[in-house]
Amino acid sequence: MSPESGAESPLRIAVDAARWIRSAAVDGGQGRHWQANPDTQGRSAMPGQPLSLYSGAAGVVLFFLELAAATGDDGYLGDAVAGARYLAATWREQADLSLHHGLAGVMFVLAEVGWVTGESVFEVEAGAIADHIVRSARPVDGGLGWTGDPAQRGDGGIILGLLHAAGILGVPAYQEIAVEAGARIATLAVPGHRFGHGACADLPLDAVTPGFLPGTAGTAFLLARLYGLTGQADFLKAARRGADFVRAVSAVTKRCAVVPHHIPQGRDLHYLGFCSGSAGVARMFYELYRVAGDAGDLDWVERLAAGIVRNGTPGRQTAGHWNVACQCCGTAGLMELSVGLWAVTGHEAHLEFAHELGRDLIGRATRHDGRGSRWYQAYRRLRPWEVTADTGYMVGAAGIGAALLHLDAATRPQEVRRLVLPPDNPFPAIPLPTTTLRRP
């Protein structure tokens, strides 16, 4: 469906998405969680992750926190608190420690709920998770780690979660452990450079992934973050090695750049989204610019953004941006980049493109049955016949709703509000250029 003239506002569609997510609520003695897909006989794109930030309760709680701030409706804060109680009661049943799929993400969300509500029980549980993660660290290749995988989907994401916990909970020891684990990653010749085995069942065993969640760019982002916190030159040098590798394998045409999904076999497959494409890689270059101030890194952020626009998105579907709307690999993730770049640069073109992406998402929303907005998509590019609508953050309506809220916030300078961004999002938590904020 193409967006029509006078289409619904981003805020209104986010509220409508919340209505559909509420229809998926499951209440019990331990709190509230949400079905991944409440459709009759509906399947989830990511089954078996009831707690996760990626597709489970933690991500939905994050959305309701932001919706409460955007609307002033305490009912949404009640949804977030009910979900946080479920997370606090059940996290000990979770073995995965990672940021997007495991306990580091639950820890992040509980700490944020505690910060917003002032209820100490959530901060206590977030600290208990952090302590559990610290105790779970083990020797890895002469250093410290958990999974042995330096990428964001493994140790990289866990370290980011601990860094956030150190700040919001006020426990310096969490940062000390995170820095020690990061020091091992900084010794790698190309940080995050790993072969396909274990990264994705569909990849050849000798494939290398330069992207954000599974590969080099996300690891370089982490190392840049560690440099910004510690000032240790080894972290910046390692981040630069990762960034140089990404530059070397990218395709550049004039002012545009795109990144291969994997090499050598997928050199001509250019994802645009967050997980393995331009939107995620741009976060790495912006983090480098933020901590080191090299204008060349910001130039690469702009090149990657220009490559997305040049691709014809959102009107044109390609192998790198197919029938997918979500934060992970779809239109919502591209909108997060555009809103972030608008806040950083003040360039109107970024906000205009964000609005274009927002109109596309609004037009694609399904609301035929009066239950609220949701987005049907082919989450897995290689299985386009599997079309689902999920409630979760990175894969469904909660994350799309959050991206629409971020667009809404960028258009309301008179109503400045803080966004609740995951630790791997380097853009400003107040999505407005400083020049806008300074206007009388």
Side-chain angles (χ1 to χ4, degrees):
M1 296 172 57
S2 298
E4 301 174 359
S5 177
E8 302 276 14
S9 72
L11 178 59
R12 185 164 181 177
I13 296 301
V15 167
D16 210 41
R19 186 155 62 92
W20 183 67
I21 294 170
R22 277 176 161 175
S23 76
V26 179
D27 287 308
Q30 295 179 310
R32 178 178 304 160
H33 65 283
W34 295 266
Q35 295 171 270
N37 184 340
D39 287 347
T40 303
Q41 298 182 334
R43 297 174 56 193
S44 168
M46 289 291 294
Q49 295 193 5
L51 271 67
S52 76
L53 176 60
Y54 194 92
S55 59
V60 175
V61 168
L62 195 60
F63 169 56
F64 278 124
L65 270 187
E66 292 210 90
L67 191 57
T71 62
D73 186 338
D74 286 343
Y76 297 126
L77 190 58
D79 290 306
V81 169
R85 296 197 191 288
Y86 174 77
L87 296 175
T90 60
W91 69 261
R92 290 170 178 81
E93 302 168 11
Q94 171 68 265
D96 191 322
L97 301 177
S98 67
L99 179 63
H100 281 288
H101 300 290
L103 288 179
V106 175
M107 172 182 66
F108 158 70
V109 171
L110 284 174
E112 289 290 343
V113 175
W115 179 270
V116 170
T117 65
E119 293 192 33
S120 60
V121 62
F122 299 125
E123 293 184 353
V124 168
E125 290 300 320
I129 296 174
D131 291 340
H132 170 69
I133 292 173
V134 168
R135 289 194 301 270
S136 300
R138 59 186 178 84
V140 176
D141 297 333
L144 195 67
W146 294 268
T147 68
D149 185 348
Q152 292 271 359
R153 60 158 187 247
D155 287 1
I158 295 170
I159 293 169
L160 282 176
L162 286 175
L163 293 175
H164 176 271
I168 198 168
L169 300 177
V171 183
Y174 299 152
Q175 179 170 317
E176 293 170 8
I177 294 294
V179 170
E180 184 178 352
R184 176 188 67 83
I185 296 174
T187 64
L188 300 175
V190 179
H193 183 127
R194 286 172 63 87
F195 294 109
H197 184 67
C200 177
D202 298 317
L203 288 184
L205 295 182
D206 60 344
V208 175
T209 52
F212 197 80
L213 278 188
T216 310
T219 308
F221 172 96
L222 166 70
L223 293 164
R225 175 68 54 85
L226 288 169
Y227 169 72
L229 287 168
T230 67
Q232 295 179 18
D234 286 348
F235 286 127
L236 182 58
K237 291 176 182 177
R240 288 276 177 226
R241 292 198 301 273
D244 288 346
F245 172 75
V246 173
R247 283 192 182 97
V249 301
S250 296
V252 179
T253 305
K254 296 183 178 178
R255 294 291 303 160
C256 301
V258 288
V259 183
H261 179 268
H262 60 281
I263 56 173
Q265 302 89 348
R267 188 173 290 277
D268 295 325
L269 174 60
H270 303 125
Y271 274 33
L272 301 185
F274 159 74
C275 59
S276 298
S278 301
V281 174
R283 293 188 182 192
M284 178 267 289
F285 280 110
Y286 178 68
E287 182 71 3
L288 268 171
Y289 171 74
R290 191 182 70 84
V291 301
D294 187 333
D297 294 317
L298 185 59
D299 179 71
W300 258 81
V301 179
E302 295 281 13
R303 286 173 181 266
L304 290 161
I308 293 171
V309 175
R310 186 173 184 266
N311 188 76
T313 304
R316 177 172 176 256
Q317 291 189 8
T318 68
H321 188 259
W322 59 102
N323 176 26
V324 62
C326 65
Q327 286 255 8
C328 182
C329 42
T331 304
L334 305 185
M335 193 159 67
E336 294 280 31
L337 172 64
S338 297
V339 170
L341 272 178
W342 150 247
V344 168
T345 66
H347 295 166
E348 290 292 334
H350 294 309
L351 187 58
E352 291 169 6
F353 187 55
H355 278 295
E356 183 179 350
L357 296 168
R359 287 190 293 271
D360 179 75
L361 284 173
I362 290 169
R364 290 184 59 182
T366 294
R367 291 172 282 170
H368 65 282
D369 55 4
R371 292 166 56 204
S373 293
R374 86 277 339 226
W375 286 263
Y376 288 91
Q377 61 179 3
Y379 171 71
R380 289 178 172 81
R381 181 182 66 87
L382 296 180
R383 300 204 287 272
W385 56 88
E386 293 182 1
V387 176
T388 61
D390 280 66
T391 57
Y393 194 89
M394 295 304 297
V395 74
I400 296 170
L404 289 169
L405 290 178
H406 300 166
L407 175 60
D408 175 73
T411 62
R412 299 176 186 265
Q414 71 281 9
E415 301 173 13
V416 175
R417 64 179 185 262
R418 170 181 174 263
L419 309 183
V420 188
L421 303 178
D424 57 11
N425 189 326
F427 295 113
I430 297 177
L432 296 167
T434 54
T435 53
T436 300
L437 295 173
R438 292 186 186 126
R439 288 175 187 165

